Amino acid sequence: MTGAAHLPPSADESIRRAAAAFSRGALLEAEQLAREALARDPRHPVALHMVGVALLVQGRPADAIAPLRAALGLQSDPAVATQLATALRLTGNLAEAEKLLRPIIGQTPPYPAAFHELAALLHADRRFREADEVAARGLAIAPGLPDLWIVSGMSKLDVGDRAAARAQLANALSLAPEHPRALLGMGVAWLEDGQFSEAADFLQRAIRTGQAPAQAFLSLAASLLELRRGEEALDCLRRAVAADPGLYPKALKTLVTAGRGQFALKPSDMERLLKPRI
C-alpha cells in the first residue's frame, strides 16, 4: 500500500513535533525527533540546536557541545552561542566560553542571557567583582531577569558585602519568590551575619523547593546548631552526606565548629552520629 500518508515525516515536520515536545517538557522525545530530522538533513541548524539544548537541559553538557558548535557554525545566533558557552562552562572550559560571550554582550540589540552566563562564568572562576560588574550591565538592560540579581547578590556575598547581597537577592525573590538559589543565598547571607533564625527560615524554604543543592543542608544544620536544635541539625547533616558523600568532611567541620562548640566528640562518635538512620 502506498500513498502520502505512509511517507516518513520530513525534517521540517520532525522539527515541528520536536518543538511541541519541548513545549510540554518531553526532552527525550524532543531529542529523538530532532535526531530524526538530522537523519534526513545532517546540517539542519534548527535540529542541531534542538539536540544540543535537549542534552544541555538533561544535564549532559559534554554531549551538548558538538551539536551546539555545529549549529553555531551554520548560523550566527546569540542564543546558540550563549548555550554553547553554558555547556563549555559546565564542562570546565571557561576560557573558550568567555571568548564566545565577550562579543555577544557588546552586540546591539543586547542579549540579556549572555550577560547572565558571562557573570556566572566569572563567578565560577572566583572573579567576583568582574561578575558583579557584568551582572550590573545586564540588569540595566533586563531588570526583570531574576538570575542576574542572583549572580550579583552571590558575587557581593563572596566579597563580604552581606547587606548589599541581601538587597540583590531580595530583588530576585520579588520576581521569583521560590527561586532555590535566591533562597539559599539569602539563607547563607543571614547565617554569615549571625542571624540564625532568619537563615534557617530561608534555607528551609530553599530545601522545600526540591531543587536546592546538598550544601543547603549543611548551612541549615549550622543554623540549627546555633539555635540549639541539635537533633534537627544532625538530621540535616545526615541528609547532606546521603545526597553527596563528598560533603562528609564539611559535615564533620560543621558539627564541631557550629553551635559555639557544643559538640566535643571523638571521630568514632561523629561517624556514628552522621550515619543515616535506617
Side-chain angles (χ1 to χ4, degrees):
M1 191 178 218
T2 61
H6 298 279
L7 292 175
S10 67
D12 287 343
E13 175 59 24
S14 293
I15 290 296
R16 284 192 289 272
R17 291 165 59 191
F22 260 116
S23 68
R24 62 176 185 273
L27 298 176
L28 289 173
E29 182 184 349
E31 179 192 346
Q32 181 181 1
L33 288 165
R35 288 189 185 279
E36 287 179 8
L38 288 176
R40 294 172 179 81
D41 182 357
R43 289 175 54 82
H44 197 301
V46 177
L48 287 164
H49 183 206
M50 282 189 166
V51 169
V53 172
L55 292 168
L56 187 59
V57 177
Q58 289 175 64
R60 298 166 59 189
D63 296 328
I65 290 172
L68 288 172
R69 199 189 297 280
L72 186 60
L74 295 168
Q75 59 178 347
S76 179
D77 186 323
V80 179
T82 300
Q83 289 153 351
L84 174 57
T86 301
L88 291 166
R89 171 175 62 83
L90 292 172
T91 52
N93 195 338
L94 302 187
E96 185 180 355
E98 183 174 353
K99 187 177 179 180
L100 276 172
L101 292 165
R102 288 291 181 185
I104 300 174
I105 66 170
Q107 289 179 359
T108 302
Y111 185 64
F115 287 88
H116 169 255
E117 180 54 38
L118 180 55
L121 182 155
L122 294 167
H123 186 271
D125 203 29
R126 303 190 63 79
R127 294 153 63 184
F128 302 128
R129 295 190 188 281
E130 289 181 70
D132 195 20
E133 289 169 5
V134 171
R137 289 173 59 188
L139 286 167
I141 297 162
L145 194 61
D147 285 337
L148 280 168
W149 292 107
I150 292 168
V151 74
S152 174
M154 297 307 293
S155 298
K156 291 181 185 299
L157 184 60
D158 282 316
V159 298
D161 192 348
R162 294 188 292 272
R166 286 196 299 273
Q168 300 299 78
L169 293 166
N171 285 326
L173 290 170
S174 72
L175 296 165
E178 297 305 312
H179 198 300
R181 286 190 293 118
L183 292 168
L184 175 58
M186 284 288 272
V188 172
W190 282 118
L191 174 61
E192 291 186 2
D193 239 4
Q195 301 297 316
F196 304 118
S197 293
E198 291 86 348
D201 287 343
F202 278 104
L203 292 164
Q204 286 167 333
R205 285 174 60 190
I207 289 168
R208 283 198 296 269
T209 68
Q211 300 174 53
Q215 180 70 41
F217 288 104
L218 294 186
S219 297
L220 177 57
S223 301
L224 294 172
L225 286 169
E226 297 290 353
L227 294 168
R228 297 294 194 261
R229 293 160 63 181
E231 284 303 316
E232 294 173 74
L234 285 170
D235 182 62
C236 286
L237 292 173
R238 294 185 191 107
R239 293 173 69 181
V241 172
D244 182 357
L247 290 176
Y248 183 77
K250 290 185 177 181
L252 288 181
K253 182 178 179 181
T254 300
L255 191 59
V256 299
T257 59
R260 292 180 285 277
Q262 63 176 305
F263 286 98
L265 302 171
K266 296 181 296 183
S268 58
D269 293 328
M270 295 180 197
E271 184 176 358
R272 174 178 53 80
L273 283 169
L274 292 180
K275 186 176 296 184
R277 290 178 173 173
I278 300 176

